[in-house]
Amino acid sequence: MGFSWYQYASRLPLAKNLGKVRTATAAPLPAQDQKTVERIRQETLAHNHDNIDRTRAYLSFYQKHPQIHWALLAHLVSRNAGWSMTDLRGELLPRLLRTKEQQDYFSFLERGNWLIFHDAYPQLLLYEESVRRQTNLFYILPHLGVSTFMQAIWNHFWKTTDKELLTIGLIINEQNYLEEQVMKEPAYQNSVVRTIPFALQELLQLNMILFPHRTVADEQGSSLQLAGERVFHFASLLERISLGKRLYSLLFGGQKRQEAAYTWALEQPHTGSRKDYWPHLFHDVNNTDPGKPYQVKLMNCQLRSEAKRMFSPTLRQVWRPVHHDPPKELDWYKSKSDVWRVLTQAEETANVAEMSEAYCQVLTKIEWAVAARTRILS
């Protein structure tokens, strides 16, 4: 998804507006708008219960407003966050990570998932209200704690319907928001980002964002393809933004993949279990015999003879809802020069979009690491 000269020229007014943006105290709102703010806050809170609710809310919004590409992207990425959360209590990772490390990783993932929804979903609801009233209401965004950067982006979208730029703007905004609210927090730096297990995940390439999409109907799920990207250097703000842009290009760069991923998402409710996309390998019931050394189950991405499916629990089986403290009140946006190049620079899509084989290789690596560890400790 490259940028044409026409696209660039059409975005020049946005460049001027971003240069004029200043963080300021929001002006008082009339009564009708105050009611809108309160309703949006309450609706956001109602859907921000856990990863399951957030993920469903993104998809529901996209069904009503498919012009907001970011909502489908957020839905699929949020599914991946849920899978990462349940991996911490699944078949393999509990054999490699101590209980405290599992809890720290979950807290890190949950906080990020909660914060992004807390910031982004009110923007989606305000757009919906603007459509309903047929008027631009984005002057309300500061009253919802949203960056002044996004006020300029939404104003531009309202005038131009530039879907691509809106999506990239949201990616930039949410990753900067995450940077200020989570990545710079000493508690997460010490418990997750700087830990050896975090580095181990990158070394073994355990981190992947997967977009399941079915090409041929198959009750066993084996025909489900996995497009996606590996996650490297998650601690880097620019790399996370670059990853988001590549994922967007991967999902919406070809109409067939977007349609196939969307169709699958509608057909398969999000539970947090990896059984959602590969039921031939994963099960949300734990059939592994307790107390015995781990036996490798996979060969060439298939179960070995007489091996039972790998345990991948649903999210609500293993994690309870979390009470979150309010985010810090701040606006990350300082100047146009910080974001304009990132906003308009095209990203190259990964050469290999199909990730089924790569994901199988990762599972095999983890299995052998677990088997080796259990033999040493037994």
Side-chain angles (χ1 to χ4, degrees):
M1 300 172 79
F3 294 90
S4 67
W5 167 248
Y6 172 78
Q7 285 176 308
Y8 183 81
S10 70
R11 294 168 182 178
L12 289 178
L14 172 63
K16 292 181 180 179
N17 289 334
L18 283 171
K20 296 176 183 176
V21 165
R22 295 289 184 273
T23 302
T25 302
L29 292 175
Q32 183 183 17
D33 289 345
Q34 289 177 10
K35 289 181 181 178
T36 296
V37 167
E38 184 58 29
R39 179 185 61 79
I40 287 175
R41 284 176 176 165
Q42 291 301 319
E43 191 169 342
T44 299
L45 185 64
H47 291 294
N48 208 357
H49 186 66
D50 63 9
N51 171 264
I52 302 297
D53 284 343
R54 294 167 207 137
T55 308
R56 289 173 180 167
Y58 287 136
L59 183 62
S60 177
F61 184 88
Y62 183 75
Q63 286 180 268
K64 293 181 286 185
H65 306 284
Q67 66 275 28
I68 309 300
H69 290 178
W70 185 87
L72 180 60
L73 179 64
H75 167 78
L76 293 169
V77 172
S78 190
R79 280 192 184 240
N80 280 266
W83 295 330
S84 293
M85 291 174 187
T86 58
D87 285 346
L88 294 167
R89 292 291 170 87
E91 181 93 20
L92 299 174
L93 291 189
R95 303 171 191 265
L96 295 175
L97 301 175
R98 295 189 295 269
T99 301
K100 183 180 184 304
E101 291 170 337
Q102 296 168 34
Q103 183 63 54
D104 287 344
Y105 273 49
F106 169 74
S107 296
F108 175 76
L109 292 166
E110 165 66 14
R111 182 63 172 171
N113 199 233
W114 182 89
L115 280 165
I116 287 177
F117 190 88
H118 176 84
D119 184 72
Y121 198 64
Q123 299 178 52
L124 303 184
L125 294 180
L126 189 60
Y127 168 74
E128 187 172 63
E129 181 67 9
S130 296
V131 171
R132 189 184 72 80
R133 288 202 221 169
Q134 297 185 330
T135 188
N136 182 335
L137 298 174
F138 299 119
Y139 60 87
I140 295 177
L141 285 172
H143 295 266
L144 293 165
V146 177
S147 171
T148 49
F149 169 78
M150 283 311 301
Q151 188 173 349
I153 295 291
W154 279 107
N155 283 334
H156 180 78
F157 177 75
W158 189 257
K159 293 177 182 177
T160 66
T161 67
D162 189 336
K163 303 179 187 69
E164 186 174 344
L165 186 131
L166 174 64
T167 305
I168 294 170
L170 280 161
I171 290 169
I172 292 170
N173 180 67
E174 300 316 324
Q175 291 308 320
N176 274 280
Y177 187 72
L178 194 70
E179 183 76 6
E180 297 296 331
Q181 300 284 350
V182 175
M183 302 304 291
K184 290 183 177 180
E185 278 292 306
Y188 292 112
Q189 284 283 328
N190 295 329
S191 66
V192 177
V193 178
R194 293 175 181 166
T195 63
I196 292 175
F198 192 89
L200 179 66
Q201 286 212 5
E202 294 209 343
L203 179 65
L204 293 180
Q205 300 174 354
L206 309 188
N207 293 324
M208 291 184 176
I209 304 292
L210 304 174
F211 293 163
H213 59 287
R214 194 181 305 284
T215 53
V216 180
D218 184 339
E219 292 181 359
Q220 299 302 313
S222 57
S223 70
L224 199 71
Q225 301 301 305
L226 302 177
E229 281 266 357
R230 299 182 189 275
V231 180
F232 296 106
H233 311 302
F234 187 81
S236 164
L237 170 62
L238 289 179
E239 175 53 32
R240 294 198 309 275
I241 292 171
S242 177
L243 172 65
K245 292 166 73 174
R246 294 196 307 272
L247 288 169
Y248 174 49
S249 178
L250 180 64
L251 181 61
F252 281 90
Q255 190 67 17
K256 288 185 178 180
R257 181 174 292 120
Q258 178 267 328
E259 290 176 354
Y262 178 46
T263 299
W264 175 81
L266 291 174
E267 292 174 350
Q268 177 57 60
H270 175 56
T271 71
S273 172
R274 292 190 183 271
K275 178 186 175 184
D276 288 353
Y277 62 87
W278 269 2
H280 63 298
L281 294 186
F282 295 101
H283 197 8
D284 54 12
V285 175
N286 191 354
N287 292 316
T288 302
D289 296 327
K292 292 186 177 181
Y294 185 79
Q295 300 294 319
V296 173
K297 296 185 175 186
L298 301 181
M299 178 180 289
N300 299 324
C301 212
Q302 297 294 326
L303 289 173
R304 293 171 181 256
S305 177
E306 299 183 1
K308 297 175 182 177
R309 285 180 289 174
M310 303 177 74
F311 178 48
S312 179
T314 64
L315 186 116
R316 289 173 177 169
Q317 280 179 264
V318 292
W319 294 113
R320 293 182 177 179
V322 174
H323 170 75
H324 287 269
D325 293 331
K328 293 178 288 188
E329 294 185 10
L330 54 82
D331 188 343
W332 64 265
Y333 182 70
K334 299 299 185 291
S335 69
K336 183 188 76 173
S337 60
D338 295 335
V339 298
W340 183 248
R341 183 181 61 82
V342 180
L343 187 64
T344 56
Q345 181 180 6
E347 288 290 339
E348 292 184 7
T349 304
N351 292 329
V352 181
E354 173 53 39
M355 297 293 283
S356 299
E357 183 177 347
Y359 181 63
C360 285
Q361 291 172 357
V362 164
L363 283 176
T364 301
K365 283 184 181 180
I366 306 172
E367 271 210 297
W368 282 104
V370 166
R373 180 180 175 86
T374 55
R375 287 194 194 99
I376 291 171
L377 296 177
S378 61

